[in-house]
Amino acid sequence: MKQSILRWSQTHLFTLKEAPSDAEIPSHKLMMRSGFMKKLGPGLYTYGAIGLRAIRKFEEIVREELHKANGIEVLMPVVQPRELWEETDRWTQMGAGLLKFKNRNEQEFCLSATAEEAVVDYVRHELKSWRDFPKNIYQIQTKYRDEIRPRFGLMRGREFVMKDAYSFDMDQAGALKTYEDMYQAYDRIFSRLNLEFRAVQADAGNIGGSQTHEFQLLAEAGEDALLVSDKTRFAANVEVCPAIDAVPQVSNDAEKAMEKFETPNQKTIADLEAFTKIPARELVKTLYFDSNEDAKVKTLKPFAVLLRGSDEVNPIKIKNLLGMNNEPVMLTDEQVREVTGANPGSCGPVGLKIPIYADNGIMGLKNYIVGANEDHFHLRNVNHGRDFQITKTADLRMARAGDKCPESDGRLKAYRGIEVGHVFYLGQKYSKKMNGTFLDKNGKSQHYEMGCYGIGITRVVQAAIEQSHDADGIIWSKAIAPFHVHICLLDIKDEKLNGYVNEMALRFAEKGIETFIDDRDERPGVKFKDADLLGMPVRIVVGKKGFDAAQIEVVNRKTKEVEKMAPDQVMAQVEKVLATR
Ligand code: ATP
Ligand code: MG
């Protein structure tokens, strides 16, 4: 049963004045200082009694919302046999992130980093008829990933708690509907935490599906670069964000005759800008890549990409344009010489016999400068269509702050984000590899359609702190606060005060309000500091002097507002503060 009253003396809780030196970001520092958790090893933490309550409360919110999306909760093993992971080739594909080991019989296992294989194995013998669909199966379970550099506490741990869900539908329309339902469930989950978040478009990577969104909390400490509209809820990971000029650059000049000119030792765009006095956004740079992805084939398949000098290439956009599996690799200087006859810095598109992909940004330019494919020379008054042919034009540059919002006349602003959840349409990738078939209405055998949906439970709880704290400590929202009320009992031996506090906590409990009582033999100042550090939404100070004068202090942790009142008015005040949290 839920424990709604806890006394400090009944816990194992020790706060720290200073955070350990490996804690770099505010949330990590506060979690260490408040005794939320303790480090056992790199990326490994013991969650204390108070911290665990916040984690469990968040898990409950996740369960409630997933059940509305027809989620079925199960619990799969953390230890999983090699054979299962071999079925999808991920035993080797996952690389060193998958922690592997042998048992006494020399059988090989790994620790679950994710559970697509395990869940398909769980359902594949029973999901056999179209009548069995849809199914949406989830678990809240420990994951282990042997991250190279665990850091920021629970943000990038090695062992962490994840909610992972897997959906099974008989056709694509069903799968996309489930995807939408899960997207909505995620929206409700993060809204309930009162957090500033965005669902952002992200790159589908190699999982094979075609649709994915990341749920990102906006925070300085985030590892991901996002662009967010100042007008709408549009947001995208910079990796995939469409790049649209806020003011399109269009030249109406007549085409002039192309000519070669000497540019001794002018190699970079910055060099050229200084040398020609022409701004980088009107210069054109040429980059060279290899599209060969077959390790057995040694010959290059070079291609060139043209961009304005002021723009940065986005390799993920090239990868997607060319349908490659990975981002293309840039040619070495040696290879560039082979392809163009000149050193990088003097190369350009004129006369090249390889495919040339141009970023949209150069389409409006005329009479521009490019490398001449001859060391220390450039060409001026170059025009595409006349002097060289473009194979394909596309959006190939990195979007940046100030670009146009793709869905309104607003502008994009740059933010950092913490990825707290991920929804992914998988298609038939796993059902094909693991022989997951069913008989459709016509009695025909089909592979089912899947989606996978993760939430980093422990990462979210830390991210919530990262978004809501002040110089003195954590500021919990009511939704996941370990307790709602923190009572600082000042005269711990006073029977009358103890009686009052006990009775008050019981009355709170009847209303679902949970109380933590600091009954330590400590000075008031120490208690107040720790109450701020632990961050429950309401603090009540009960001391002999205040009690006798009918002056009980009720403090709003977030606003620091202090109200003093007679004992019988405390309940109403607590409810009032909680209603705002
Ligand atoms: P990241 O890019 O941050 O490594 P991921 O793309 O590997 O994340 P998924 O495989 O989609 O993550 O896992 C689902 C969720 O699990 C993520 O959205 C994130 O919230 C959480 N998560 C992933 N790795 C970690 C980790 N090392 N520590 C804590 N949470 C994690
Ligand atoms: Mg990862």
Side-chain angles (χ1 to χ4, degrees):
M1 207 186 70
K2 196 162 75 184
Q3 189 175 21
S4 20
I5 304 169
L6 183 67
R7 294 173 161 263
W8 196 311
S9 60
Q10 300 167 324
T11 68
H12 179 79
L13 177 65
F14 296 88
T15 56
L16 302 172
K17 280 217 174 61
E18 298 286 335
S21 60
D22 68 345
E24 296 163 57
I25 59 174
S27 55
H28 188 190
K29 287 183 184 160
L30 291 173
M31 290 166 98
M32 300 306 289
R33 285 187 51 214
S34 67
F36 182 110
M37 63 189 187
K38 211 159 180 184
K39 185 167 165 181
L40 184 72
L44 305 171
Y45 292 89
T46 299
Y47 314 124
I50 305 287
L52 190 56
R53 287 178 68 104
I55 294 172
R56 293 283 182 253
K57 283 194 178 178
F58 179 51
E59 290 175 358
E60 268 320 292
I61 290 176
V62 170
R63 285 193 177 93
E64 283 173 25
E65 297 304 336
L66 288 190
H67 291 159
K68 291 182 199 159
N70 298 319
I72 304 165
E73 186 170 6
V74 302
L75 196 59
M76 293 179 273
V78 174
V79 173
Q80 304 186 348
R82 171 178 178 156
E83 294 69 35
L84 193 60
W85 286 74
E86 289 286 9
E87 289 189 38
T88 57
D89 301 323
R90 290 211 296 181
W91 180 258
T92 40
Q93 264 176 26
M94 293 279 288
L98 198 62
L99 186 65
K100 302 162 183 169
F101 52 94
K102 287 182 185 163
N103 73 356
R104 71 183 82 193
N105 301 323
E106 293 287 304
Q107 288 155 330
E108 291 185 274
F109 296 87
C110 65
L111 292 183
S112 174
T114 170
E116 283 81 4
E117 286 80 0
V119 77
V120 172
D121 186 67
Y122 176 61
V123 302
R124 64 180 158 186
H125 302 293
E126 297 87 16
L127 272 189
K128 282 292 166 203
S129 152
W130 60 273
R131 290 182 192 83
D132 302 328
F133 295 88
K135 284 271 158 67
N136 188 2
I137 294 178
Y138 80 95
Q139 65 172 349
I140 296 178
Q141 173 68 300
T142 295
K143 296 289 175 301
Y144 187 90
R145 294 183 179 182
D146 217 27
E147 302 277 1
I148 300 174
R149 207 158 90 80
R151 61 196 170 128
F152 302 154
L154 306 184
M155 291 282 191
R156 186 162 298 285
R158 284 193 171 139
E159 184 172 313
F160 57 97
V161 181
M162 195 201 285
K163 184 288 297 174
D164 42 329
Y166 307 89
S167 65
F168 300 86
D169 278 274
M170 58 178 168
D171 55 24
Q172 193 186 44
L176 293 177
K177 162 85 174 55
T178 305
Y179 182 95
E180 177 61 23
D181 291 347
M182 290 299 275
Y183 181 105
Q184 295 303 339
Y186 275 35
D187 209 65
R188 294 193 300 273
I189 288 167
F190 296 114
S191 298
R192 282 180 64 176
L193 297 191
N194 240 329
L195 296 172
E196 185 70 46
F197 73 96
R198 291 288 186 284
V200 312
Q201 298 172 7
D203 184 50
N206 296 334
I207 295 197
S210 57
Q211 193 169 338
T212 177
H213 283 90
E214 290 168 357
F215 283 75
Q216 297 264 5
L217 295 196
L218 306 183
E220 240 353 276
E223 292 184 328
D224 291 299
L226 311 179
L227 288 165
V228 175
S229 172
D230 63 5
K231 269 257 169 85
T232 70
R233 286 200 55 92
F234 173 87
N237 197 310
V238 70
E239 291 179 347
V240 296
C241 185
I244 306 168
D245 289 346
V247 183
Q249 213 179 336
V250 183
S251 162
N252 293 318
D253 295 351
E255 293 187 353
K256 299 182 198 162
M258 179 171 82
E259 57 186 42
K260 194 159 85 178
F261 67 110
E262 211 171 336
T263 48
N265 293 317
Q266 307 298 315
K267 290 187 182 139
T268 64
I269 285 291
D271 290 344
L272 214 57
E273 195 176 18
F275 186 77
T276 62
K277 308 271 181 303
I278 294 173
R281 63 196 300 258
E282 290 169 30
L283 299 170
V284 171
K285 64 181 173 192
T286 317
L287 305 173
Y288 302 89
F289 297 88
D290 184 10
S291 63
N292 174 31
E293 292 195 276
D294 186 347
K296 280 176 247 135
V297 180
K298 288 280 179 281
T299 46
L300 284 182
K301 278 209 232 147
F303 64 92
V305 173
L306 300 187
L307 300 138
R308 285 179 298 208
S310 53
D311 292 335
E312 203 188 321
V313 70
N314 182 332
I316 291 184
K317 289 181 180 173
I318 302 181
K319 177 195 84 171
N320 292 338
L321 177 75
L322 301 186
M324 297 176 68
N325 291 319
N326 295 295
E327 294 168 32
V329 182
M330 281 188 107
L331 299 192
T332 62
D333 290 3
E334 177 73 45
Q335 291 168 329
V336 170
R337 275 194 293 276
E338 235 170 77
V339 171
T340 69
N343 280 298
S346 297
C347 301
V350 179
L352 284 189
K353 302 229 157 33
I354 59 176
I356 296 174
Y357 301 101
D359 174 63
N360 293 332
I362 77 150
M363 296 318 288
L365 297 187
K366 271 197 188 143
N367 301 320
Y368 42 83
I369 294 177
V370 299
N373 292 331
E374 183 179 335
D375 284 350
H376 310 298
F377 283 95
H378 277 75
L379 299 171
R380 65 161 69 96
N381 299 333
V382 174
N383 291 287
H384 46 270
R386 183 190 71 178
D387 304 323
F388 67 95
Q389 300 306 320
I390 291 170
T391 310
K392 205 169 204 174
T393 308
D395 170 14
L396 296 176
R397 73 166 169 95
M398 286 284 185
R400 58 174 165 246
D403 281 347
K404 194 180 116 41
C405 163
E407 56 179 36
S408 73
D409 60 356
R411 296 279 187 276
L412 298 181
K413 284 170 95 173
Y415 281 89
R416 306 291 305 171
I418 300 169
E419 181 197 318
V420 286
H422 205 173
V423 291
F424 223 115
Y425 163 62
L426 289 170
Q428 300 178 333
K429 172 171 173 169
Y430 290 93
S431 57
K432 278 191 170 151
K433 289 202 160 165
M434 297 185 71
N435 204 17
T437 58
F438 69 101
L439 293 180
D440 68 12
K441 283 180 184 159
N442 304 317
K444 203 170 143 232
S445 179
Q446 302 268 13
H447 291 285
Y448 35 75
E449 293 265 328
M450 288 178 62
C452 68
Y453 316 87
I455 290 181
I457 298 281
T458 39
R459 183 185 283 187
V460 170
V461 175
Q462 178 165 346
I465 298 174
E466 191 63 31
Q467 241 187 35
S468 178
H469 66 267
D470 63 15
D472 298 321
I474 300 169
I475 304 175
W476 288 111
S477 72
K478 186 177 145 197
I480 57 170
F483 291 90
H484 303 113
V485 173
H486 183 129
I487 299 181
C488 294
L489 177 57
L490 300 187
D491 300 281
I492 55 170
K493 300 246 160 57
D494 188 308
E495 274 182 30
K496 194 171 59 180
L497 288 193
N498 271 289
Y500 169 67
V501 164
N502 285 339
E503 195 212 334
M504 176 161 60
L506 284 172
R507 281 199 297 127
F508 283 159
E510 281 166 17
K511 298 205 165 203
I513 299 170
E514 301 156 3
T515 311
F516 184 60
I517 304 169
D518 184 353
D519 60 348
R520 292 173 303 166
D521 188 7
E522 284 286 359
R523 285 180 293 112
V526 172
K527 295 198 177 201
F528 299 158
K529 267 203 153 50
D530 279 342
D532 280 346
L533 179 60
L534 265 58
M536 310 315 167
V538 185
R539 182 217 302 176
I540 303 176
V541 183
V542 183
K544 223 161 114 53
K545 231 165 71 193
F547 187 78
D548 291 342
Q551 294 276 298
I552 306 267
E553 234 179 73
V554 180
V555 188
N556 180 331
R557 170 64 186 88
K558 185 170 180 175
T559 63
K560 300 263 169 96
E561 277 163 329
V562 181
E563 301 266 357
K564 294 185 178 176
M565 63 202 66
D568 60 350
Q569 285 160 18
V570 169
M571 170 70 87
Q573 180 63 18
V574 167
E575 287 184 310
K576 199 173 120 195
V577 176
L578 285 179
T580 66
R581 302 291 300 125

